[in-house]
Coordinates of all heavy atoms in Angstrom, one line a residue:
P1000 N 41.5 -15.6 -24.3 CA 43.0 -15.8 -24.2 C 43.6 -15.3 -22.9 O 44.6 -15.8 -22.4 CB 43.5 -15.0 -25.4 CG 42.4 -14.8 -26.3 CD 41.2 -14.8 -25.5
S1001 N 42.9 -14.3 -22.3 CA 43.5 -13.7 -21.1 C 43.1 -14.4 -19.8 O 43.6 -14.0 -18.7 CB 43.0 -12.2 -21.0 OG 41.6 -12.2 -20.9
L1002 N 42.4 -15.5 -19.9 CA 42.1 -16.2 -18.6 C 43.3 -16.9 -18.1 O 44.0 -17.7 -18.8 CB 41.0 -17.3 -18.9 CG 40.2 -17.8 -17.7 CD1 39.4 -16.7 -17.0 CD2 39.3 -19.0 -18.2
D1003 N 43.7 -16.6 -16.9 CA 45.0 -17.1 -16.3 C 44.9 -18.5 -15.8 O 43.8 -19.0 -15.5 CB 45.5 -16.1 -15.3 CG 44.6 -16.1 -14.1 OD1 44.7 -16.9 -13.2 OD2 43.7 -15.2 -14.0
R1004 N 46.1 -19.1 -15.6 CA 46.2 -20.5 -15.2 C 45.5 -20.8 -13.8 O 44.8 -21.8 -13.7 CB 47.7 -20.9 -15.1 CG 48.0 -22.3 -14.7 CD 49.5 -22.5 -14.7 NE 49.9 -23.8 -14.2 CZ 50.1 -24.1 -12.9 NH1 50.0 -23.1 -12.0 NH2 50.5 -25.3 -12.5
D1005 N 45.8 -19.9 -12.9 CA 45.2 -20.1 -11.5 C 43.7 -20.1 -11.6 O 43.0 -20.9 -10.9 CB 45.7 -19.1 -10.6 CG 47.2 -19.2 -10.3 OD1 47.7 -20.3 -10.5 OD2 47.8 -18.2 -9.8
T1006 N 43.1 -19.2 -12.4 CA 41.7 -19.1 -12.5 C 41.1 -20.4 -13.1 O 40.1 -20.9 -12.7 CB 41.3 -17.9 -13.3 OG1 41.8 -16.7 -12.7 CG2 39.8 -17.8 -13.4
I1007 N 41.8 -20.9 -14.1 CA 41.4 -22.2 -14.8 C 41.3 -23.3 -13.8 O 40.3 -24.1 -13.7 CB 42.3 -22.5 -16.0 CG1 42.2 -21.5 -17.1 CG2 42.0 -23.9 -16.5 CD1 43.2 -21.6 -18.2
F1008 N 42.4 -23.5 -13.0 CA 42.4 -24.6 -12.0 C 41.3 -24.4 -10.9 O 40.7 -25.4 -10.5 CB 43.8 -24.7 -11.3 CG 44.8 -25.4 -12.1 CD1 45.9 -24.8 -12.7 CD2 44.7 -26.8 -12.2 CE1 46.8 -25.5 -13.4 CE2 45.6 -27.5 -13.0 CZ 46.7 -26.9 -13.6
S1009 N 41.1 -23.2 -10.5 CA 40.1 -22.9 -9.6 C 38.7 -23.2 -10.1 O 37.8 -23.8 -9.4 CB 40.1 -21.4 -9.2 OG 39.1 -21.1 -8.3
M1010 N 38.5 -22.9 -11.4 CA 37.2 -23.2 -12.0 C 37.0 -24.7 -12.2 O 35.9 -25.2 -12.1 CB 37.1 -22.5 -13.3 CG 37.0 -21.0 -13.2 SD 36.7 -20.2 -14.8 CE 35.0 -20.8 -15.2
L1011 N 38.1 -25.4 -12.5 CA 38.0 -26.9 -12.7 C 37.5 -27.5 -11.3 O 36.7 -28.5 -11.3 CB 39.3 -27.4 -13.1 CG 39.7 -27.3 -14.6 CD1 41.1 -27.7 -14.8 CD2 38.7 -28.2 -15.4
Q1012 N 38.1 -27.0 -10.2 CA 37.7 -27.6 -8.9 C 36.2 -27.3 -8.6 O 35.5 -28.2 -8.1 CB 38.6 -27.0 -7.9 CG 40.0 -27.4 -7.9 CD 40.9 -26.7 -6.9 OE1 40.4 -25.7 -6.2 NE2 42.2 -27.1 -6.8
E1013 N 35.8 -26.1 -9.0 CA 34.4 -25.8 -8.7 C 33.4 -26.6 -9.7 O 32.4 -27.1 -9.2 CB 34.1 -24.3 -9.0 CG 34.7 -23.4 -7.9 CD 34.1 -23.7 -6.5 OE1 32.9 -23.9 -6.4 OE2 34.9 -23.8 -5.5
S1014 N 33.9 -26.8 -10.9 CA 33.0 -27.5 -11.9 C 32.9 -29.0 -11.4 O 31.8 -29.6 -11.6 CB 33.7 -27.5 -13.3 OG 33.7 -26.1 -13.7
A1015 N 34.0 -29.5 -10.9 CA 33.9 -30.9 -10.4 C 32.9 -31.2 -9.3 O 32.4 -32.3 -9.1 CB 35.3 -31.4 -9.9
K1016 N 32.6 -30.1 -8.6 CA 31.6 -30.2 -7.5 C 30.2 -30.0 -8.0 O 29.2 -30.3 -7.2 CB 31.9 -29.1 -6.5 CG 33.2 -29.2 -5.8 CD 33.4 -28.0 -4.9 CE 34.8 -28.0 -4.3 NZ 35.1 -26.7 -3.4
N1017 N 30.0 -29.6 -9.2 CA 28.6 -29.4 -9.8 C 28.3 -30.2 -11.0 O 27.8 -29.6 -12.0 CB 28.5 -27.9 -10.1 CG 28.6 -27.0 -8.8 OD1 27.8 -27.0 -7.9 ND2 29.7 -26.2 -8.8
T1018 N 28.7 -31.4 -11.0 CA 28.5 -32.2 -12.2 C 27.1 -32.5 -12.5 O 26.8 -33.1 -13.6 CB 29.3 -33.6 -12.0 OG1 28.8 -34.2 -10.8 CG2 30.8 -33.4 -12.0
S1019 N 26.1 -32.2 -11.7 CA 24.7 -32.4 -11.9 C 24.2 -31.5 -13.0 O 23.1 -31.8 -13.6 CB 23.9 -32.3 -10.6 OG 24.0 -31.0 -10.1

Side-chain angles (χ1 to χ4, degrees):
S1001 59
L1002 197 64
D1003 62 86
R1004 177 179 178 274
D1005 290 340
T1006 301
I1007 293 171
F1008 277 110
S1009 177
M1010 292 185 67
L1011 281 169
Q1012 291 175 354
E1013 288 299 316
S1014 297
K1016 299 175 184 177
N1017 297 292
T1018 54
S1019 59

